[in-house]
Amino acid sequence: MAEPTRDSIISRVVRILSCFDRSTSALSLSSLARRSGLPLTTTHRLADELLRHGLLERDSAGDLRPGLRMWELASRASHALTLREACLPFMEDVQAAVHHHVTLAVLDRGSALYVERLSAPESPLDAANIAQRMQLHASSSGLVLLAFSEAAVQARALAGPLEKITPETLTDPAALRRTLADIRQKGFAAPPGIGRTEWIGVAVPVFGPDRTAEGPVIAAALNAIVPRTDADLVPRVVVALTTAAHGASRALRATSGQPAIP
């Protein structure tokens, strides 16, 4: 196939690195070219460069996979690292109380990006993994991130398209606006089945040190995933998450050097 002429070198590198995911952690050179949509010669040339810099590496079978150097560079000054370190002790408290998966998500490029997860071996659910993205309107974390974001962010998200992931996913912008207002009033989201029919995601906001005229700026959404068969746990989960979120918010302010809010 002809090589796209409008793609920059950086764009092509991003296309290559974006080919890897949780289910495809290693690829042959030909598979990498096919998935990236780049010519084999271009993929070969760029992969060699990435290998030299440690951003890719070869596994025992000779296939390519993301290298540790990429993780090292990403972690050095990442805002997500500071966020995770501040929130992790409080996430551990929640998991000890509810015995289900606990996650931390941030708003990034129009979706909820999960930057930390504590897994509960006894939980039958498996989703919201680290580095996974979920649509804002189809996840409790996404709804909380939207509810406490600026009006312009909400307007862009609700302008669509809004995919109906399950029969219970809200896709009507007016209904979603009412839902966001309700979340702001209550301080949490617990919609059943909007991303996966078999679970209830319960999420609360974690606020960072920055403030606007409207109040503190949301830094993340703290979430616990509960099977729908355990719906009676939701009130207890809300209390555990809210307590943890307040602690995490105080920790973020302390990290920034700002005084805690009484």
Side-chain angles (χ1 to χ4, degrees):
M1 63 179 282
E3 184 171 346
T5 57
R6 289 180 293 177
D7 275 3
S8 66
I9 295 281
I10 291 176
S11 295
R12 295 171 193 172
V13 168
V14 170
R15 286 169 67 175
I16 287 173
L17 296 177
S18 297
C19 290
F20 301 97
D21 55 34
R22 197 173 186 85
S23 61
T24 312
S25 58
L27 290 164
S28 66
L29 185 65
S30 58
S31 296
L32 190 58
R34 185 168 57 252
R35 285 180 68 122
S36 67
L38 294 171
L40 184 59
T41 54
T42 301
T43 306
H44 187 279
R45 184 178 71 251
L46 293 176
D48 278 349
E49 284 286 321
L50 293 168
L51 282 164
R52 276 197 292 274
H53 290 286
L55 299 176
L56 288 180
E57 61 187 26
R58 293 193 183 275
D59 64 12
S60 58
D63 289 336
L64 298 164
R65 65 186 182 190
L68 283 176
R69 177 69 170 162
M70 186 161 66
W71 170 84
E72 176 195 356
L73 293 174
S75 299
R76 280 184 179 177
S78 171
H79 167 68
L81 184 61
T82 301
L83 182 65
R84 290 166 62 191
E85 288 176 344
C87 294
L88 192 56
F90 303 99
M91 295 176 67
E92 291 171 346
D93 291 343
V94 174
Q95 190 192 48
V98 304
H99 306 292
H100 286 294
H101 301 319
V102 180
T103 68
L104 187 71
V106 297
L107 179 64
D108 182 74
R109 301 174 68 87
S111 60
L113 173 63
Y114 290 85
V115 297
E116 186 58 275
R117 163 174 148 155
L118 295 183
S119 299
E122 61 268 41
S123 175
L125 306 175
D126 184 28
N129 296 300
I130 294 175
Q132 180 181 353
R133 291 180 181 271
M134 296 187 75
Q135 296 184 54
L136 294 173
H137 73 289
S139 62
S140 58
S141 293
L143 289 175
V144 162
L145 290 167
L146 262 187
F148 292 93
S149 290
E150 296 176 350
V153 174
Q154 295 179 15
R156 284 196 297 271
L158 299 185
L162 299 171
E163 183 182 359
K164 200 166 188 65
I165 307 298
T166 75
E168 292 164 292
T169 308
L170 284 178
T171 56
D172 176 64
L176 277 166
R177 287 190 183 281
R178 290 193 294 271
T179 297
L180 297 180
D182 185 56
I183 292 169
R184 286 193 297 274
Q185 182 180 35
K186 295 190 302 186
F188 70 92
I194 64 168
R196 295 283 183 90
T197 55
E198 67 271 23
W199 77 35
I200 301 171
V202 186
V204 300
V206 175
F207 294 105
D210 297 329
R211 295 184 66 88
T212 67
E214 287 74 32
V217 175
I218 187 169
L222 185 60
N223 168 270
I225 304 167
V226 179
R228 291 185 76 162
T229 52
D230 292 341
D232 58 322
L233 289 177
V234 169
R236 180 157 64 91
V237 172
V238 169
V239 172
L241 286 171
T242 302
T243 301
H246 286 161
S249 297
R250 287 194 301 270
L252 285 172
R253 288 188 63 82
T255 300
S256 73
Q258 295 192 29
I261 300 173

